[in-house]
Structure formats: C-alpha cells, structure tokens
Amino acid sequence: MDLVIRDARVIDGTGAPSYRADVGIENGRITHIAREGEPRPSGTRTLDAEGRALAPGFIDMHAHSDLAILRDPDHSAKAAQGVTLEVLGQDGLSYAPTNDTTLAAIREAITGWNGDGSDIDFDWRTVGGYLDRIDRQGVAINAAYLIPQGSVRMLATGWDDRPATADEVATMKRLVAEGMEQGAVGMSSGLTYTPGMYASDAELTELCRVVARYDGYYCPHHRSYGAGALEAYAEMVALTREAGCALHLAHATMNFGVNKGRAPELLALLDAAVAEGADITLDTYPYTPGCTTLAAMLPSWANEGGPEATLARLRDPATTARIRHVMEVEGADGCHGVPIEWDRIEISGVSDPELTDHVGRTVAESAAARGEEPWTTAHRLLIEDRLGSTILQHVGHEENVRAIMRHPVHTGGSDGILQGAKPHPRAYGTFPQYLGRYVRELGILSLEECVAHLTGRAAARLRLPDRGTVREGNVADLVVFDPDTVAATSTFEQPRSLPTGIPHVLVAGRPVIEEGQRTDVLAGRAVRRTG
C-alpha cells in the first residue's frame, strides 16, 4: 500500500466506540483496516500514530474562504485544524453565479468578508466555472459550494426591495437549477443581508423546490437571531417543509439578552419537526461572540440599491438621523431587531490601513478616545472605510452554545472570516476548541460523539457517502490528533495562532500537515454534488 498508519485509536465518525487498528491507504482511499490482533498490512511508507486518535478529516459546514483559498492555497488556517473540507458560498452572497455588473457590486458589498478581490483573477462567472478554478489552481483542502440566493436575486432583480415578477422568479429558478447541475450541494441565503432579504417566503419556497429536485439542502442565515429568533427559525422550518427540501440552519445561535437561556425552546421546535419527518441539521461555532460587518447592522432600507446607494444615504444628514434612531432606539432589522449596544460592537478589521487605530476596540471605546458619541465614530467609520469594516458582536450566551452543540442534528461550522487585523479566533480555532475545551476540559460531549458531529453527520448532510467516516473504500481525508493535548491557541488578542496537538492531516491520502508543519501538498479539489 502507499501508506499504512500504525497503532491508531480509530474514531470512525459514526459515534461508535473507538478501537485500535492499522489503516492502509492506496490511491487516495482507505483500502484496509486491520484491527488489533489481525494481520498487519505493509506499505511503502508508514506513519506511527503511537496510540493517538485517527479520525475522518473535519468538515467545516460554514466557511467564508471563497477568495482566501484562491489567494492563499496553503490555507493553514483550516488545514492546521484538521479540516479537510469546507462549504463555501454562505449567507446568500458569493461570486458565482454572476455577471460583470453584479460581480463588481458583490465584491464591494462583501469586502469585509473576503477583501475587495483586487488580487484575484475572476476568470469565472458560473458555479461550475468557480469550481473548475479551484481544481485548476489546486488548494490545500477540499471545498463544496452553496448557490448564494442573494447573488441569484441580484442577477434577476438588482438590489431593489420589491417582489420579484413571475419572469424574474423563473430566471432565479433556472440559475439555481444550473448551479445544482454544475455541482453545488445546495443553496444559501442571508436574510438579514441585502438583496437576499427582500425575497418573500413564497419566492424562497419556489427556489427550495428546485434545490430539493437535486437532493440538495437549503442553508439560511434566517431573518433574526435576536428579537423574533424563534419565529424566524419556525419560518424556515415551515418554508422548507412546504418545499420538500432539506434544511440546514446556519450558525444556529440564540443571541442577545432577549434569548438568554432559550436554547431549549429552539431545540424543542426542531425536535417536533424532525419527529414529523422534517430533514433538519444545523451548525454552530464554540464561541459566544458573533462576527459580521459593521454595515450589516444598518436597517435594510438603508442598504437598498447597493453599496453606493448606502454611502449616499450615510452622507445625507436627515437620512443619517433616521438611521441612527432606528439603530439606537427601535432596533434595526440588521441588528436583529435589538437596539444596538456600542460597547458590545468591537472593530475587528478595516479595509483602509489609515483606520487601523479602531481595530481591537469597541465602538464605544474608540468614541471615548476621540471624545465623541459612539454613533459619530461608527458613522464616520462606515463612510471612510466604504462599508468594509468587520466587527465582533459580543452578544452570545454560553449556556445556549452548550445546549445546541449537544443536539443530535448538530454539526460544526467556523463561520470564519479570514480578513482583518483581528479576525474572530474561530477562523483558526473552531475544531480544536471543540475537542480541547468542550470534550476534554468540560465533558460536554464524548470524544466519539464530538467527532461524529464534525465528520460523519456533516458528510451525510452533504450527501457524500464516501467521506466523513473511516471505512474501507472511503476517500482518505484523515486527521491524527492527540486527545490529551489538542487545543485552540487562537484568542481575541492573537487570533491567527495555530492549534496544537494535531500532528498529521491527510487529504486524499497525501500529507498536508506533517509532524505539525504545513507541507507544500495541494491535494484539495472541488467536491461536487453527486447523483
């Protein structure tokens, strides 16, 4: 065989008890598993696991590396965590399908997520073209893609807040079908982001019916994670059941003061739907703060028409006064219906290097240093950084995080934004954080159960039968880690610190991490929908 991993504690991704075995790999697949006491296979190369855990590679169900994997194929932020597959195209906004006009608008709108793309050759316009680009270039780990509903709506209707016409809905359905045929695994939405949020439930249901025809899933960032969160979850459950479409709830949290301790209500809602036959999964990250852009906090009407229209409104004193009132008093839909708390909004990154003195401070702290009101600071930053600033939003609750991660339909997703001077540490630490803090230190999940959440259950949602478990015939996407030492070292102060306790990561049987160091192997490829 090409490689034999000897004396491994195999945690196979199903949740079953671990066992000792040698695992043989040939031509990128697992070809032989010899349990303790059985004849041992031989190989051209051997890797002695020394009793450490051998698991399927982790699957990041919610990633924002759409340009990062092209900009930096090394991708140590994920490879060093043991991630061997990530799902891109999240939150309804990404770079395919597109055309020359919408591409320019999307690049500006999500600069805070991915940079402005000035260093990228956008030589694609379709979903298939984007996936082909990944394959041509080669990347460290594999990538799957969700069709972004906001980008699709932009192609059909522009940025306008209005119902789509019948012809426009037909155009969107065609675009979704084309994306699924070209290999997408489902469709995402960002229903607090423009222009996707302007879609009615009827419109979304029609698109989900198309996704269901291809056995894909719908992954919404739904309409509220704050006031009205439970109603927003229920809306997505009802919508997808009407469409006959599988549902995967993105970064499923219960945030803000109004939702403290209310995770059991969400889980009861999901349990009832699953008991009635609904196909539902969700993902979370093991941290309490969220991460998005400062512009996302604005009321949706302020973002109508795209970035230039938003900036024009912010330069108009009367409109600015109205925006401020909605945000600070009423609670903007961009801030999930909750009045904004400037002492909980931390600037994590800026596009303009001249504004870096804001980074690492809350808006309230930055304003105090300047002797001005928080709104004045936020308003200036929005304009001067052209909506490109990213934020950490410190509004989560630890008891909710723990309750949701225990649920049997739970999977792991970093929601990791790699841009900015101080990105959220989840981008570099989500998976070792689960294994180190929540398994070893807190005992919230057993090791076998946690690995199943991060591997086998995610692969099942993606309809990838030959990934996510250690089984003969499966693709050899594997990670060797030490359960006693694995840990995230990324922090809010040092967010790009790589984890410890993960010495080996294989993608298609090839080492992308070896003895804890990144190799030059680019074994990752686009993983397309099958069937």
Side-chain angles (χ1 to χ4, degrees):
M1 298 180 190
D2 298 331
L3 172 67
V4 174
I5 303 174
R6 295 204 181 281
D7 193 27
R9 176 188 172 187
V10 176
I11 304 174
D12 69 4
T14 68
S18 60
Y19 59 90
R20 286 293 183 102
D22 294 349
V23 176
I25 297 167
E26 191 169 2
N27 295 324
R29 290 187 178 267
I30 300 167
T31 54
H32 193 76
I33 300 175
R35 297 198 180 216
E36 204 167 26
E38 297 176 352
R40 306 187 80 173
S42 61
T44 305
R45 295 181 298 123
T46 60
L47 190 166
D48 191 347
E50 300 177 322
R52 290 174 296 200
L54 174 67
F58 305 131
I59 298 176
D60 188 342
M61 288 294 289
H62 192 103
H64 286 285
S65 309
D66 305 49
L67 297 186
I69 60 169
L70 304 179
R71 178 180 294 120
D72 179 21
D74 178 84
H75 212 32
S76 292
K78 296 298 178 65
Q81 294 183 59
V83 172
T84 58
L85 171 61
E86 57 184 359
V87 185
L88 310 176
Q90 299 287 350
D91 293 333
L93 288 168
S94 191
Y95 307 93
T98 189
N99 59 29
D100 292 350
T101 301
T102 62
L103 176 60
I106 290 168
R107 285 174 58 181
E108 187 166 16
I110 54 175
T111 291
W113 294 358
N114 294 297
D116 65 9
S118 58
D119 55 342
I120 301 293
D121 177 13
F122 288 90
D123 59 353
W124 70 88
R125 293 295 182 269
T126 65
V127 169
Y130 175 69
L131 298 177
D132 288 344
R133 170 63 182 276
I134 291 172
D135 283 343
R136 286 198 310 274
Q137 180 163 319
V139 293
I141 68 173
N142 303 302
Y145 191 75
L146 294 167
I147 301 162
Q149 170 259 329
S151 299
V152 167
R153 194 174 210 272
M154 200 183 308
L155 281 168
T157 70
W159 287 87
D160 297 341
D161 181 3
R162 62 172 176 81
T165 67
D167 285 347
E168 288 167 344
V169 172
T171 296
M172 288 186 267
K173 291 171 69 174
R174 174 180 57 78
L175 289 167
V176 171
E178 289 173 356
M180 295 299 295
E181 288 168 2
Q182 292 165 13
V185 294
M187 180 180 75
S188 75
S189 281
L191 299 180
T192 66
Y193 300 129
T194 56
M197 69 186 304
Y198 300 142
S200 66
D201 284 2
E203 179 182 315
L204 295 171
T205 300
E206 286 299 303
L207 301 185
C208 283
R209 287 194 172 105
V210 177
V211 174
R213 287 207 309 266
Y214 294 91
D215 200 24
Y217 68 93
Y218 180 44
C219 179
H221 164 128
H222 51 273
R223 298 191 193 274
S224 176
Y225 289 83
L230 283 174
E231 292 81 2
Y233 281 114
E235 175 190 8
M236 295 298 101
V237 170
L239 184 156
T240 48
R241 295 196 69 187
E242 172 69 20
C245 185
L247 172 65
H248 181 84
L249 296 166
H251 39 59
T253 57
M254 293 290 288
N255 288 341
F256 303 92
V258 294
N259 289 316
K260 185 176 175 62
R262 298 188 69 189
E265 296 176 58
L266 166 62
L267 300 179
L269 168 70
L270 301 183
D271 285 339
V274 169
E276 293 173 0
D279 183 357
I280 299 175
T281 50
L282 56 82
D283 65 68
T284 72
Y285 47 83
Y287 300 86
T288 53
C291 179
T292 186
T293 63
L294 183 59
M297 298 293 98
L298 296 169
S300 58
W301 55 261
N303 278 317
E304 184 181 359
E308 291 303 326
T310 302
L311 289 166
R313 293 186 183 98
L314 288 168
R315 293 187 182 104
D316 177 70
T319 307
T320 294
R322 182 182 168 205
I323 291 171
R324 178 181 184 178
H325 178 79
V326 171
M327 293 180 71
E328 294 187 337
V329 179
E330 297 178 8
D333 49 4
C335 195
H336 307 277
V338 178
I340 198 161
E341 299 174 276
W342 295 115
D343 60 346
R344 293 179 179 268
I345 305 296
E346 179 184 349
I347 305 301
S348 60
V350 291
S351 296
D352 184 347
E354 296 296 320
L355 301 170
T356 53
D357 60 331
H358 291 278
V359 174
R361 294 177 171 181
T362 67
V363 173
E365 289 169 342
S366 195
R370 288 164 174 75
E372 60 191 20
E373 293 182 292
W375 166 253
T376 303
T377 297
H379 177 245
R380 183 187 303 114
L381 188 57
L382 285 162
I383 293 174
E384 293 180 356
D385 208 29
R386 294 188 57 81
L387 312 180
S389 305
T390 52
I391 62 169
L392 303 178
Q393 200 169 12
H394 295 272
V395 292
H397 305 287
E398 180 68 18
E399 66 269 39
N400 287 346
V401 169
R402 296 186 188 186
I404 293 170
M405 74 169 61
R406 290 190 187 103
H407 197 273
V409 304
H410 169 265
T411 66
S414 70
D415 196 12
I417 294 173
L418 301 173
Q419 285 294 116
K422 285 196 171 183
H424 196 302
R426 67 194 183 193
Y428 287 75
T430 285
F431 295 87
Q433 179 82 340
Y434 270 118
L435 298 168
R437 176 165 172 75
Y438 287 93
V439 171
R440 184 179 65 245
E441 296 176 8
L442 299 176
I444 302 300
L445 294 165
S446 71
L447 185 58
E448 288 85 354
E449 181 69 5
C450 185
V451 168
H453 285 221
L454 305 182
T455 60
R457 294 182 188 177
R461 164 50 70 226
L462 295 170
R463 308 288 196 250
L464 299 175
D466 61 351
R467 297 177 191 266
T469 54
V470 180
R471 185 173 60 199
E472 291 178 359
N474 276 15
V475 176
D477 292 345
L478 299 167
V479 55
V480 176
F481 67 92
D482 185 343
D484 295 329
T485 63
V486 62
T489 66
S490 58
T491 64
F492 290 100
E493 292 72 33
Q494 299 291 331
R496 287 191 168 88
S497 179
L498 297 178
T500 59
I502 304 177
H504 299 281
V505 181
L506 307 177
V507 174
R510 299 173 63 194
V512 296
I513 299 291
E514 194 166 40
E515 300 296 347
Q517 300 297 314
R518 179 70 177 92
T519 70
D520 61 0
V521 169
L522 299 177
R525 295 293 182 268
V527 174
R528 292 166 168 84
R529 181 192 63 84
T530 58

